[in-house]
Amino acid sequence: MDFDWLFFAEISLAGLGTGGLYALTALAFVIIFKSTGVVNLAIGEMLMVGAYLVYGLATGFGLPIWLAIVVGVLGSGLAGGVIERLAIRPMVGESPISTFMITVGLASVLVGAVELIWTADQRRMPPIMPDEAIFIGEAFVSSKVFYGFFVTLILISLGLLVFRFWRGGVALRATAFDQGAAYSMGINVPRVFSLSWVIGAMIAAVAGVIVGAIGGISPAMGIFGLSVLVVVIAGGLDSVLGALVAGMAIGLIESWASGFLGGEYKVVVTFLILIIVLMIRPYGLFGTREIERL
Amino acid sequence: MKIKTMKNWLAGSVVASLLGVAGIAQANDKEIVIGGSIPMSGVFSFAGIGIHAGIQDYVKIINDSGGIEGYKLRYVPEDSGYKVDVSVAAFKKITSQNKVDFYYGDSTGFSKTINPELNRMNSILMSGASFATELNDPEKYPYQFLAGPDYTEMFSILLRYIAQEKPGAKVAFVYSDTEFGRDPIEASRKVAEELGLKVALELMTPPGSVDVSTEMAKMRRAKPDYTIFHGYILAPIPEFIEQARNMKLDTKFMGTFWTMDNSTVMQMGEVGDGFMGVMPYRYYYDESAPAPMLEKIREMRPEYQNVPYIQGFLSAMLYTESARRVLAEGKELTAENMKAALNTIKDFDTGGLIGVPITISGNSIPVGRIYQADASKGQMVPVSDWIVLE
Amino acid sequence: MRIGTAKFTYKHDEALFDSRTQYAWLLVLACSLVAFPFIANEYWLYLACLVMINIVSATGLNILTGYTGLVSLGQAAFMGIGAYAVAYMDNHFGTPVIFNLLIAGGITMLGGVVVGIPSLRVKGLYLAIATIAASMILHFIFANWGSVTGGTAGLTVAPPVLFGFSLDTSFLFYWMVVPVMVMMLLGAANLFRTRIGRAFIAIRDRDISAEVLGIPLLRYKLLSFGLSSFYAGVAGGLWAYFFRIVTPESFPLSMSIFFLTAIIVGGMGSTLGSILGAVFVTMIPEVLKLIVGWLPVSVDATLILSPVRTIVFGLLIIGFLIVEPLGLQEIWRRIRRFFHLWPFKS
C-alpha cells in the first residue's frame, strides 16, 4: 500500500501546531507548579478567561486588536494574582489534594462567570493573523496554526531563558526547591507565589488568544486543559523542557490518531498515553522524583 | 457567618421553599396550558430565548382575539439550561402544579426520556426543539411530533437539491461526535446512494476540537463538490470554510436547521458568503410573498427574530390548531385525540411561516427550501423552490 | 442535658447508635420517611428520589475519597457502568430488579478494581488524574461500543417491576429507593467499625506507616475502589430505573465534580457528611431558582440561573475547603453539642 507521505506531512505539521499550543499552556502550568506546588486543574479555564478578555476588549470596547491583546493578557495576569491571593494563599500548608480541589472549584467559578457575562453562545475572535495559505513544500499548513506555532516557540524559549538567568526566575526555582532556604536568602516568598500565578495566567491568556483564533471561543474551551494535564504528567509536573517535548509529542500523536484512526479516537488515545505514562514513569520524562519522608 | 445566623437562614429558606411549592395553581376550567422546558440559558440559549418569545407571542395573539372555542391559552415555562435532568425536573414540577395539555421539550434526550411518561399519562401532546429522526416514529412516539422535517429529511432535501444541480456529484458529510450529530448520517448515506450521489467522505469531529487541519487534509484529498455540516451551531464550520478557501478547494458548503439562523451565519463574516442550507421556514425579513403571520410578527417585534422564534411560534400554532379541532368536535383533550386531530391537518395555511400549505400525516413536516447566504445583504436568500418530501 | 453515656461492654462502646434518645429520633425519622410520600406532591417526590440516589453515590465516593484518601473524579463514569449494566440486563434478560442492581454493582466493582490498579504505582494527585483519564476512556466506550451500549443514542429502560408493582411514578419508585439507600448507608457506617474500615482510615492518614503496620496496601486500596464502585454501580442502576434512559452524555465529568462537591460540603470521612452533602448540593438549584425568582429583577433573571448555579458550585467547593474543611457534618455536630451541653457552654 502506498503510504501517503504528503498526508502524513500535513497532519504532522498540524499536530506540531497544536503541540506548540499544548506546550505553551503546559509552560504556564509548570511555572505555577514549580513555584507554589499547586496542580492547577483550572489552567484550561484560565486560558478561556484570557481569550474572552481579549474578545471583550476588542468587540465590546472596540479597541484595536493589538491593544486588546496586550491589555487582555495583562488583565489575565491581574486576575491570576487575585486568584492566588484569595483562593490559593489560604491553603498554604494544607494537603496538595485540597488545593487541587480548590482549583476544581475555581474552574467552575470561571466558567460560570464567563457564561454570565458573555452567555454560552459560541463566538469568533476578530482576525489577528494574516490568513493566506502557507505551503511548506507541497504540504499545506493553516496560517493560524503556523503563526501560532512561532509565537509559542518564542515564548517557550523566553521561558527557558527566564528560569535560567533572570533573578525572578531563579527566585521561582529557589522557592520551589526549598521554601525555608529561599526565605532565609531574603527572597520574598509570598511575592514569588503571586508572581508565578500572574505569569502563568498571562501565558495561558496568550495561548487562549491563539486557541480562540483557531477554534472559536466558548465557555467549553476549558476542555483544552484536560489534554494539557496529560502533557504535564508526561513531561513532568515541574519541568519546562518536559512541557515542550511532551507537548509536541502529544500534539503529534493526537494528530496521527485523528488522521489514521478517526476523529473520535483523539481523546481516547491521549488518555491511554496518560495511563501508560502513569504506569511506567509516573513522574514524567523530566520530572523530579518525589521522595516521601515520614 | 455565625452559626446562629446560618441556622436562621437555613430555617427561613426551608419554610420559604415549602410555601413556594405549596402554592399549587388552581386549574382554571376553560384553560389550555402549554408547558415548556425551555433552554433559556446554557449552550442553546440563543434558541431558547427565541422559542420562549415565539410561544409567548402566539399565545398573546390568540388570547387577544378571544381564545379558541372559549378557552384561553396559558404558557408555563421553566428554564432547563439544555440539561436533561433539569428539563425532566421542570416537567415534573409544571405537571404537578398544572393540568398541562401541550409541552415543549428542549432536546432529543428529554423527548426520549419523557416518552414513557407521556404514553402513560395520555394527556399531553409534545413537540420540541429536537428534529431527531428517531422521534419521527408515530408508533414509538405516538404523542410527540416535530414542527418541521427531521434531520434525515433535511439531508434528503439538501441531497435532492444537489442531485438536481449536479447529478452524480461527490458529497462529504462533516458531523459532530454527539447524538445530535450522528442522528441522520446512516440513513442519509442511503438516500445519497439512491439519488446517484457519491459520499466521498465522512468526517466526525470530537466536540470541543480546536484545530481542523487534519480533517482538512482528508478533505483536500477527497475533493467533494458539496460538503454538508450537521451537529454544530457555529464552530468549527468557519474554520473549515476558511481553510478550504485558502487551499483553493472548490467545494460548496451546506448546513442543517440549527446552523441556518441568519445571525449565526452572518457571524462567519465574509467566510460565510455563499453558505447554503435547508430551512423549513421563512426568515423574519422575508417579503417575497404575502405572509400575514410574518407581518404580524414584524409588527409585534420590530427587531430581527431568529429562526428558533419562528419554530416556537409555529409549534404554538400547531398546538392551538389541534386543540381547536378536538374541541370543535366536542371531544376531550386527551393526547390521543389531540394527536389524531394534528394528523388531520392537511393543506393547512401557516400564515406564510412555511411557504406552502402543510400536511402532517406522521410525526414531521417534511418541507424545506434551500437558502444561501448573501454577505453583502447580510441576509439568507432562497435559491430553490419549496421542496416537499413524500 | 446529656453529657455522655456510660458504657459497660465493648459491644456497647462500638455500637452505631448508643442512647435511648438517639433511638427515639431514629424512630421519628423512620416515621417521617414513611409518611412523606403521602403528603408530598409528585415534584417533591421526584426530588426526594433524586436526593436518595445521590446519597448512595456520595456515600460510595466518601468511602474512597473521604475514608481512604484516594481522590477520584470518576464517580459519574462508574455510575454510568452501573446504569448501562442495568439497562442491558433489563433489555436482554428481563431479570428481576434487585438482581439487576446487584449485578450492576458487581460489574462496576470489577471496573473500579481495574481503574484502581494504577494506585499501586501512583498516589494522591496523580491518581486523581488517572481517574479523570479512566472517566474519559469509559465515556468513549459508552459512545462507541454500539452493540452493547446503543452508541450515542443510548438505551431505554422499562419501568422496574417490584412485587408486581410497576414503579413508574416517583411515588412508587420512592418505596424501592428508601430501603436500598438505608441498607447501603448502614453498610457504610458499619464498614468503619470493622478492620477493613480502620485499614482504610490508616491508609488515608499515612499509607507508608499503614504498610509498616501490616496492612497490604494494594489489596486494601483495590478493595476501597471496589466497594466505592459497588455503591456507584447501585446508584447508577437506580438512576437508570429512575430516568429510564441512559446515554453517554448522561454521566459527564461535571457530574463527578458534583459528587466531589457533595462530599466536600457535607464532610469527608463521615456517613452523615455524605447524606448532608448530597441533600445540600441536590437542593441548591431549587433554592437558587426560588431566590432568583424573588429578586426584584425582570424576567431575564431566569437567563442567568444556569451560570449562577455553576458559580455557586465552584464557590461552595472553595468556600468550604477554606472555611470549614470538615463540612456540614461538623456544623451539625457543633449544633448537637450545643444542645447536649446546654445550659453550659461547650
Side-chain angles (χ1 to χ4, degrees), chain A residues 17 23 25 27 32 46 48 65 69 89 106 118 120 125 128 130 142 155 170 172 179 207 221 242 276 294:
Chain A
T25 323
L27 176 66
I32 292 178
M46 284 167 72
M48 172 188 76
I65 188 72
I69 292 182
R89 191 74 67 83
L106 177 68
W118 282 284
M125 187 74 97
I128 303 174
S142 150
L155 277 173
V170 175
L172 279 168
Q179 264 180 39
M221 265 172 100
I276 294 173
L294 287 181

Tab-separated table of all heavy atoms in Angstrom, chain A residues 17 23 25 27 32 46 48 65 69 89 106 118 120 125 128 130 142 155 170 172 179 207 221 242 276 294:
chain	number	residue	atom	x	y	z
A	17	GLY	N	1.621	22.119	15.322
A	17	GLY	CA	0.981	23.379	15.668
A	17	GLY	C	0.196	23.273	16.969
A	17	GLY	O	0.354	24.076	17.891
A	23	ALA	N	2.207	22.891	24.528
A	23	ALA	CA	3.454	23.180	25.236
A	23	ALA	C	3.360	24.521	25.938
A	23	ALA	O	3.807	24.685	27.076
A	23	ALA	CB	4.617	23.149	24.263
A	25	THR	N	0.647	26.166	27.014
A	25	THR	CA	-0.224	26.084	28.185
A	25	THR	C	0.436	25.272	29.284
A	25	THR	O	0.332	25.601	30.472
A	25	THR	CB	-1.566	25.429	27.815
A	25	THR	OG1	-1.962	25.842	26.518
A	25	THR	CG2	-2.634	25.829	28.799
A	27	LEU	N	3.526	25.158	29.804
A	27	LEU	CA	4.527	26.040	30.412
A	27	LEU	C	3.891	26.853	31.536
A	27	LEU	O	4.451	26.976	32.626
A	27	LEU	CB	5.084	26.984	29.337
A	27	LEU	CG	6.068	28.038	29.827
A	27	LEU	CD1	7.335	27.384	30.321
A	27	LEU	CD2	6.389	29.022	28.728
A	32	ILE	N	3.458	27.623	37.479
A	32	ILE	CA	2.669	27.661	38.707
A	32	ILE	C	3.056	26.516	39.635
A	32	ILE	O	3.214	26.705	40.851
A	32	ILE	CB	1.164	27.606	38.379
A	32	ILE	CG1	0.747	28.898	37.693
A	32	ILE	CG2	0.346	27.378	39.627
A	32	ILE	CD1	-0.688	28.928	37.283
A	46	MET	N	-8.355	29.224	32.750
A	46	MET	CA	-7.613	30.483	32.745
A	46	MET	C	-7.295	30.891	31.309
A	46	MET	O	-7.320	32.063	30.942
A	46	MET	CB	-6.326	30.336	33.561
A	46	MET	CG	-6.617	30.349	35.054
A	46	MET	SD	-5.263	29.817	36.099
A	46	MET	CE	-4.158	31.166	35.985
A	48	MET	N	-9.235	30.174	28.860
A	48	MET	CA	-10.515	30.664	28.356
A	48	MET	C	-10.749	32.113	28.770
A	48	MET	O	-11.199	32.936	27.971
A	48	MET	CB	-11.627	29.772	28.895
A	48	MET	CG	-12.999	30.276	28.617
A	48	MET	SD	-14.212	29.301	29.475
A	48	MET	CE	-14.016	29.898	31.127
A	65	ILE	N	-7.119	45.422	17.770
A	65	ILE	CA	-6.874	44.069	18.255
A	65	ILE	C	-5.545	43.947	18.994
A	65	ILE	O	-5.432	43.249	19.999
A	65	ILE	CB	-7.000	43.033	17.100
A	65	ILE	CG1	-6.944	41.613	17.655
A	65	ILE	CG2	-5.909	43.238	16.080
A	65	ILE	CD1	-8.149	41.209	18.404
A	69	ILE	N	-5.149	42.673	22.827
A	69	ILE	CA	-4.366	41.519	23.269
A	69	ILE	C	-3.475	41.907	24.433
A	69	ILE	O	-3.413	41.216	25.455
A	69	ILE	CB	-3.519	40.945	22.113
A	69	ILE	CG1	-4.425	40.329	21.060
A	69	ILE	CG2	-2.553	39.896	22.634
A	69	ILE	CD1	-3.688	39.703	19.914
A	89	ARG	N	-3.638	31.218	48.544
A	89	ARG	CA	-2.825	31.570	49.699
A	89	ARG	C	-3.369	30.999	50.992
A	89	ARG	O	-2.614	30.505	51.821
A	89	ARG	CB	-2.725	33.091	49.771
A	89	ARG	CG	-1.700	33.597	50.763
A	89	ARG	CD	-0.289	33.405	50.257
A	89	ARG	NE	-0.018	34.238	49.117
A	89	ARG	CZ	0.340	35.529	49.186
A	89	ARG	NH1	0.445	36.115	50.362
A	89	ARG	NH2	0.587	36.200	48.097
A	106	LEU	N	-12.422	26.389	41.365
A	106	LEU	CA	-12.087	27.613	40.639
A	106	LEU	C	-12.504	27.504	39.180
A	106	LEU	O	-13.050	28.447	38.597
A	106	LEU	CB	-10.573	27.839	40.723
A	106	LEU	CG	-10.036	29.042	39.962
A	106	LEU	CD1	-10.522	30.298	40.620
A	106	LEU	CD2	-8.518	29.008	39.951
A	118	TRP	N	-20.927	36.728	29.083
A	118	TRP	CA	-20.976	36.661	27.643
A	118	TRP	C	-21.954	35.641	27.099
A	118	TRP	O	-21.960	35.375	25.914
A	118	TRP	CB	-19.584	36.327	27.089
A	118	TRP	CG	-18.651	37.489	27.076
A	118	TRP	CD1	-18.658	38.536	26.202
A	118	TRP	CD2	-17.570	37.724	27.976
A	118	TRP	NE1	-17.644	39.404	26.496
A	118	TRP	CE2	-16.957	38.934	27.584
A	118	TRP	CE3	-17.047	37.047	29.068
A	118	TRP	CZ2	-15.859	39.471	28.247
A	118	TRP	CZ3	-15.961	37.566	29.725
A	118	TRP	CH2	-15.387	38.762	29.309
A	120	ALA	N	-23.627	31.672	26.817
A	120	ALA	CA	-22.943	30.446	26.415
A	120	ALA	C	-22.780	30.327	24.908
A	120	ALA	O	-22.335	29.307	24.408
A	120	ALA	CB	-23.710	29.246	26.943
A	125	MET	N	-13.236	35.062	17.325
A	125	MET	CA	-12.258	36.079	17.650
A	125	MET	C	-12.077	36.967	16.427
A	125	MET	O	-12.003	36.452	15.310
A	125	MET	CB	-10.953	35.357	18.008
A	125	MET	CG	-9.876	36.247	18.533
A	125	MET	SD	-10.214	36.774	20.206
A	125	MET	CE	-9.248	35.618	21.105
A	128	ILE	N	-6.694	38.222	13.709
A	128	ILE	CA	-5.443	38.677	14.297
A	128	ILE	C	-4.287	38.493	13.328
A	128	ILE	O	-3.428	39.327	13.191
A	128	ILE	CB	-5.119	37.868	15.573
A	128	ILE	CG1	-6.259	37.989	16.559
A	128	ILE	CG2	-3.825	38.329	16.178
A	128	ILE	CD1	-6.075	37.127	17.755
A	130	PRO	N	-2.547	37.268	9.567
A	130	PRO	CA	-2.826	37.240	8.123
A	130	PRO	C	-3.280	35.842	7.721
A	130	PRO	O	-2.836	34.861	8.313
A	130	PRO	CB	-1.469	37.570	7.487
A	130	PRO	CG	-0.463	37.317	8.538
A	130	PRO	CD	-1.131	37.534	9.853
A	142	SER	N	-2.347	25.532	7.861
A	142	SER	CA	-3.241	26.656	8.107
A	142	SER	C	-2.435	27.810	8.677
A	142	SER	O	-1.567	27.628	9.522
A	142	SER	CB	-4.335	26.222	9.080
A	142	SER	OG	-4.757	27.314	9.830
A	155	LEU	N	7.839	32.223	22.964
A	155	LEU	CA	7.528	32.326	24.390
A	155	LEU	C	8.200	31.237	25.202
A	155	LEU	O	8.654	31.472	26.327
A	155	LEU	CB	6.014	32.281	24.602
A	155	LEU	CG	5.330	33.625	24.400
A	155	LEU	CD1	3.829	33.468	24.450
A	155	LEU	CD2	5.773	34.601	25.479
A	170	VAL	N	15.170	32.698	38.876
A	170	VAL	CA	15.946	31.937	39.853
A	170	VAL	C	15.207	31.889	41.177
A	170	VAL	O	15.177	30.868	41.857
A	170	VAL	CB	17.348	32.567	40.030
A	170	VAL	CG1	18.109	31.857	41.119
A	170	VAL	CG2	18.111	32.501	38.718
A	172	LEU	N	12.042	31.938	41.559
A	172	LEU	CA	10.973	30.964	41.397
A	172	LEU	C	11.489	29.555	41.647
A	172	LEU	O	10.895	28.775	42.376
A	172	LEU	CB	10.395	31.036	39.976
A	172	LEU	CG	9.380	32.148	39.688
A	172	LEU	CD1	9.147	32.257	38.202
A	172	LEU	CD2	8.074	31.842	40.369
A	179	GLN	N	11.463	26.151	50.382
A	179	GLN	CA	10.911	27.448	50.791
A	179	GLN	C	11.699	28.077	51.917
A	179	GLN	O	11.972	29.273	51.930
A	179	GLN	CB	9.462	27.256	51.262
A	179	GLN	CG	8.451	27.544	50.193
A	179	GLN	CD	7.054	27.337	50.708
A	179	GLN	OE1	6.734	27.672	51.845
A	179	GLN	NE2	6.224	26.764	49.877
A	207	ALA	N	-1.944	31.800	25.063
A	207	ALA	CA	-2.384	30.546	24.438
A	207	ALA	C	-3.860	30.610	24.126
A	207	ALA	O	-4.313	30.168	23.072
A	207	ALA	CB	-2.080	29.364	25.362
A	221	MET	N	-14.342	25.959	26.252
A	221	MET	CA	-12.946	25.925	25.812
A	221	MET	C	-12.038	25.240	26.821
A	221	MET	O	-10.984	24.746	26.461
A	221	MET	CB	-12.422	27.357	25.675
A	221	MET	CG	-12.506	27.943	24.320
A	221	MET	SD	-12.057	29.655	24.466
A	221	MET	CE	-10.382	29.552	23.922
A	242	GLY	N	10.263	19.425	29.769
A	242	GLY	CA	9.286	18.352	29.630
A	242	GLY	C	8.008	18.861	28.995
A	242	GLY	O	7.414	18.186	28.153
A	276	ILE	N	-0.524	4.964	30.404
A	276	ILE	CA	0.759	4.283	30.193
A	276	ILE	C	1.872	5.017	30.915
A	276	ILE	O	2.699	4.421	31.603
A	276	ILE	CB	1.071	4.190	28.684
A	276	ILE	CG1	0.056	3.287	28.007
A	276	ILE	CG2	2.472	3.654	28.450
A	276	ILE	CD1	0.166	3.266	26.506
A	294	LEU	N	8.650	10.383	56.001
A	294	LEU	CA	7.622	10.177	57.018
A	294	LEU	C	7.752	11.207	58.121
A	294	LEU	O	8.843	11.527	58.536
A	294	LEU	CB	7.767	8.770	57.622
A	294	LEU	CG	7.313	7.668	56.688
A	294	LEU	CD1	7.457	6.325	57.363
A	294	LEU	CD2	5.856	7.888	56.299
